[in-house]
Amino acid sequence: KLYRFPGNADISRGAAYTADYFSFAQWRDKTYAANGADDLQVATTGSFADATGTTPVFTRIAVAGEFLAGIGLAADFVGTLRTVTASPYMLMISGVGNPEQFDVDVDTSAYFQDIYDSGGPLTAIARLRNFFVVFQKSGVYVVENVGGAEKWSVRCVTDYYGCVHPDSVVEVNNVLYWISPTRGGEVCAFDGAQVTPLSSALNAIGLNGTGNDNYGFVDATSTVTTRCITAATNGETILWNSFYTTNGVVTDDTVFSE
């Protein structure tokens, strides 16, 4: 299910969803949603529905300018002339001004590439100004539109810092902040040029416990206690919430701010 707040109106598509953990992105007046199992979802003011055409099944999505990008291709993407094999390392970017078209043989401005390097599977994606920032558990990449035959430039910023909790990433005043698993958990900032650690040993504050990191996803069927971190901001203060779930039910949570 998907609900609109406030009021908790059910704005799900007609058919039930296979998975219950969504990533959202806003493109103009349209809201897109991906859950790593079902078709890409889109809504304006009404209920969500499957995006038109053949769209990839992503785990996480983001919008920068006129492009929609997704990571963690969860199912083979069958295009008109080629098939892009499912891969947790896959980054795909839509055609310019065409957020529901990822077929490079239909729209030549679309793009796809595996990012290995290898700090593990891609875990998070965010927008910073007019470019994308893609994360691994140990790795942060800047993905910038360069046009021409190359289309996009992928630049590794660091292979040390990374992110396992995709919802811990938040943008404030043109700076990205998130929680890296390095040195006991630390808040990192990225201004587009370099990554700067701001505080360390967050395990002592709100990240300690018996949970397992699961790239921030809540599994409603797993009996394993999983740790998740979400972030919110009012534009000045960042509020992180660290919580644990078992069978999708929150068992403990801690709030801390920066």
Side-chain angles (χ1 to χ4, degrees):
K1 295 288 188 179
L2 285 170
Y3 297 92
R4 182 173 56 232
F5 180 84
N8 295 330
D10 185 351
I11 55 171
S12 307
R13 69 177 184 183
Y17 296 116
T18 306
D20 55 4
Y21 188 87
F22 282 87
S23 169
F24 297 93
Q26 190 74 24
W27 186 86
R28 296 185 184 178
D29 64 341
K30 296 181 178 180
T31 302
Y32 287 89
N35 66 359
D38 298 297
D39 291 337
L40 187 67
Q41 297 293 291
V42 60
T44 50
T45 58
S47 296
F48 280 89
D50 295 348
T52 59
T54 304
T55 55
V57 178
F58 294 126
T59 56
R60 308 288 304 183
I61 56 175
V63 164
E66 289 295 287
F67 299 93
L68 187 149
I71 61 171
L73 188 63
D76 289 354
F77 174 68
V78 181
T80 56
L81 298 179
R82 72 192 77 192
T83 297
V84 181
T85 304
S87 168
Y89 298 89
M90 178 59 66
L91 164 71
M92 297 187 76
I93 303 176
S94 74
V96 59
N98 203 355
E100 298 179 31
Q101 181 56 265
F102 292 82
D103 191 334
V104 297
D105 298 302
V106 174
D107 188 331
T108 57
S109 64
Y111 175 86
F112 67 92
Q113 177 180 327
D114 269 323
I115 300 178
Y116 288 109
D117 269 350
S118 167
L122 305 185
T123 57
I125 183 170
R127 175 198 62 82
L128 183 60
R129 295 189 283 279
N130 63 341
F131 55 85
F132 294 104
V133 180
V134 176
F135 298 83
Q136 296 173 324
K137 184 176 181 180
S138 299
V140 179
Y141 299 82
V142 165
V143 183
E144 295 181 279
N145 182 244
V146 293
E150 295 297 323
K151 301 180 186 177
W152 292 86
S153 167
V154 180
R155 172 172 59 93
C156 181
V157 177
T158 175
D159 60 4
Y160 177 70
Y161 300 104
C163 178
V164 292
H165 299 287
D167 285 325
S168 75
V169 184
V170 64
E171 182 269 330
V172 182
N173 295 328
N174 289 322
V175 177
L176 279 184
Y177 299 88
W178 72 92
I179 297 175
S180 173
T182 47
R183 293 183 292 197
E186 55 191 325
V187 174
C188 290
F190 179 56
D191 61 2
Q194 65 181 13
V195 176
T196 304
L198 301 181
S199 61
S200 59
L202 288 176
N203 276 340
I205 302 175
L207 307 186
N208 58 313
T210 59
N212 299 301
D213 290 329
N214 189 31
Y215 300 142
F217 290 92
V218 178
D219 189 339
T221 61
S222 174
T223 58
V224 176
T225 299
T226 301
R227 176 174 58 185
C228 308
I229 301 173
T230 61
T233 180
N234 61 3
E236 296 180 355
T237 300
I238 302 172
L239 189 70
W240 277 288
N241 182 32
S242 172
F243 62 96
Y244 300 87
T245 67
T246 304
N247 287 359
V249 178
V250 175
T251 55
D252 184 37
D253 67 295
T254 303
V255 176
F256 52 102
S257 64
E258 179 70 23

